Amino acid sequence: MMTAGIAAAEVTFSGTAKFGYNDTDHASGASASEPFSDMDLNIAFSKELDNGYTAAASVELDYADGNQGNDISASDALISLTNADSGIHYGDTKHAAQNAWSSVGSMDNDAFRAADGEMVTRADMTLGGAKVSVSLGDDTNLANPTNATPAVPGTETDYMSLGITGTAGAFTYALAAQNANTAWLDNDDNSAASQLSTTGVRVSTTWGGATVALGHPTNNNGGSTGVEVSYPMGALTTTASYVAEDATGAKANWDVKVVYAEGAMGLTVATDESDDWNVDVSYDMGNGMNLFIGADDGGKDTYAGLSYDLGGGASLLASYADDSDNDDSDDEVGAKDYKEGMTFELSFAF
């Protein structure tokens, strides 16, 4: 990382670079010879103002395969003005409801708007010990067919949301709400459910060493009522949840996850009512070498990887992943997001 200071201003540069080889087309599972590379440059600016506020801005510049000599894509642009109690953010930041909400188990009706690549304006303030946030999303990245009816809007301003978080005695609470959106979906990892007017309330506390959470979101499709209990026992932490769904024909959702971490060994085992189980194992072999093995998506995906820390921010990875039904269209298999097939990768962090 390189830092340049001008008076009270600070500008930082950091980045990553990687290149490697993969032998499988993840969309079809067919054999292929696919060298790949990626470079990211992160630039951050900040300056402390005389009135106690801090002005900041950041952006990520990305170079990927195939754009040699072409325009470099920019993402994650954000401008903010903040102090200890309040702030305003504009750019790639979370909507107020998304920022406040945390699901209690696997809920069907808590699809709060996820901001990813769109421009969001969010204001945060502290009122009576509670953090209150409001946001407005400006969505110009629409996923609509040509010659659609009604006509595709060139731009649309949408998605107002509210988030409130705080503590009351031994309890932590969150309130979240968003308005209904237009008929159009965008390209930013949202589903039709995220367009619905949605509200949610969540309360959690610690009781007898266990963390207990209750939550109830509701939208036009119905409501979800969930309870989740997480209990640590030495190196072992068990988390279980149950969610009742009141939509017509909907069944209850339950999940159980056990996490073990002791010394060089890490183990995660999770399952739910649809038999979508996964097992992920990590082992620190020493001398900078780490082994990862797992089976996800009910055993449909399997992977194994060995990483080696070369020091100075450099690392080497060899991995093999099998996506048996080719449903990982983003080529990210298992807990480590490995590429399907055999992969060799050298990466650097600066």
Side-chain angles (χ1 to χ4, degrees):
M1 177 180 290
M2 179 175 70
T3 304
I6 302 176
E10 184 176 87
V11 181
T12 62
F13 298 86
S14 63
T16 61
K18 64 182 178 182
F19 67 92
Y21 171 82
N22 175 257
D23 69 354
T24 302
D25 182 336
H26 70 272
S28 65
S31 296
S33 178
E34 297 183 347
F36 62 90
S37 66
D38 184 79
M39 288 190 292
D40 298 309
L41 173 63
N42 299 282
I43 308 173
F45 316 84
S46 66
K47 184 174 183 178
E48 294 184 6
L49 308 182
D50 295 336
N51 55 10
Y53 281 83
T54 298
S58 59
V59 67
E60 178 180 310
L61 305 179
D62 182 71
Y63 162 86
D65 293 326
N67 63 351
Q68 180 85 321
N70 297 328
D71 292 337
I72 295 175
S73 63
S75 63
D76 301 326
L78 179 63
I79 301 172
S80 65
L81 181 65
T82 60
N83 64 14
D85 299 316
S86 61
I88 186 166
H89 310 262
Y90 176 71
D92 194 353
T93 189
K94 290 182 178 180
H95 288 276
Q98 178 196 10
N99 198 43
W101 183 252
S102 180
S103 183
V104 179
S106 298
M107 293 179 154
D108 293 345
N109 300 300
D110 68 340
F112 288 100
R113 171 71 179 196
D116 181 13
E118 66 189 74
M119 303 304 288
V120 175
T121 302
R122 192 185 79 240
D124 305 326
M125 63 211 80
T126 301
L127 298 174
K131 179 181 177 181
V132 181
S133 301
V134 292
S135 68
L136 176 68
D138 182 11
D139 181 9
T140 59
N141 187 17
L142 302 175
N144 304 310
T146 304
N147 300 321
T149 302
V152 177
T155 61
E156 63 173 292
T157 300
D158 59 8
Y159 288 113
M160 295 181 64
S161 72
L162 169 70
I164 303 174
T165 58
T167 58
F171 294 90
T172 299
Y173 63 86
L175 303 172
Q178 70 178 22
N179 68 324
N181 188 42
T182 67
W184 301 114
L185 283 173
D186 65 13
N187 289 326
D188 298 323
D189 299 330
N190 287 287
S191 65
S194 70
Q195 296 175 306
L196 301 176
S197 175
T198 306
T199 59
V201 58
R202 185 185 195 277
V203 178
S204 64
T205 189
T206 300
W207 184 24
T211 298
V212 181
L214 300 171
H216 179 73
T218 183
N219 59 26
N220 298 58
N221 292 331
S224 303
T225 303
V227 57
E228 182 178 85
V229 179
S230 181
Y231 187 69
M233 297 175 288
L236 197 69
T237 299
T238 302
T239 302
S241 64
Y242 178 86
V243 181
E245 304 288 353
D246 64 18
T248 302
K251 64 178 182 178
N253 301 317
W254 62 265
D255 299 91
V256 177
K257 181 170 71 173
V258 178
V259 178
Y260 174 84
E262 179 72 24
M265 184 72 175
L267 171 67
T268 299
V269 180
T271 187
D272 63 30
E273 85 294 338
S274 61
D275 297 324
D276 184 8
W277 55 267
N278 64 280
V279 178
D280 299 295
V281 181
S282 63
Y283 184 72
D284 186 345
M285 303 173 67
N287 297 317
M289 298 185 69
N290 286 273
L291 177 66
F292 305 96
I293 301 173
D296 291 349
D297 291 341
K300 296 177 182 177
D301 298 349
T302 55
Y303 71 88
L306 182 66
S307 67
Y308 180 55
D309 186 353
L310 300 174
S315 63
L316 182 65
L317 169 70
S319 66
Y320 178 79
D322 179 28
D323 176 17
S324 63
D325 52 4
N326 297 313
D327 65 343
D328 286 300
S329 57
D330 51 6
D331 205 13
E332 298 173 347
V333 178
K336 303 300 292 183
D337 291 336
Y338 289 141
K339 293 179 177 294
E340 186 175 5
M342 181 65 71
T343 301
F344 299 95
E345 178 183 293
L346 183 62
S347 62
F348 308 92
F350 303 94

